[in-house]
Amino acid sequence: MLNKSDKTLLIKASLTDDVRYQIGKNGLTDTTISMFLKALEARELLKINVMKNCTFSIEELCIELANTLKCNIVEKKGNSILIFKKRKSDSRFKNIND
């Protein structure tokens, strides 16, 4: 579980990250889950935009992402979700315990 200072550090780190992923009308498919897992292993921190045509609410997607990907929801703001999953080795966020 992330504490407030960990979340603040991750939010600041995400400000310089231009890469964003999207969830569209199909929601979380096997393909998007696979893509997010690979991206989390490579980047640890992902910004996800939920498109307006998505049939699921942000809250439903947050629960599903956390359960499926075994990641932490750092922030949900508007139509965006910020997720974090620390790498087992060679993490760039060594001082964060998730």
Side-chain angles (χ1 to χ4, degrees):
M1 190 71 173
L2 298 173
N3 61 36
K4 189 173 181 172
S5 63
D6 291 343
K7 287 184 178 186
T8 302
L9 185 120
L10 291 169
I11 290 168
K12 285 182 182 179
S14 74
L15 293 176
T16 59
D17 195 3
D18 291 336
V19 178
R20 289 187 177 258
Y21 296 87
Q22 295 179 341
I23 298 175
K25 66 181 177 181
N26 295 330
L28 288 175
T29 62
D30 291 338
T31 306
T32 56
I33 290 169
S34 174
M35 178 183 63
F36 290 156
L37 283 171
K38 288 177 186 174
L40 278 170
E41 182 60 33
R43 306 178 67 80
E44 297 180 286
L45 190 63
L46 298 181
K47 292 181 193 177
I48 301 171
N49 286 340
V50 180
M51 306 302 285
K52 291 184 180 185
N53 62 354
C54 184
T55 57
F56 301 97
S57 70
I58 296 284
E59 289 77 21
E60 290 173 319
L61 288 172
C62 286
I63 292 167
E64 189 66 27
L65 284 167
N67 291 335
T68 306
L69 303 175
K70 307 290 188 258
C71 66
N72 291 296
I73 306 299
V74 178
E75 180 182 47
K76 57 181 180 178
K77 189 174 183 181
N79 286 341
S80 296
I81 304 170
L82 183 63
I83 62 173
F84 172 73
K85 184 174 183 179
K86 189 173 181 178
R87 262 188 239 132
K88 290 180 175 62
S89 63
D90 195 33
S91 174
R92 67 179 176 146
F93 300 102
K94 293 183 185 353
N95 57 340
I96 294 178
N97 297 320
D98 69 332

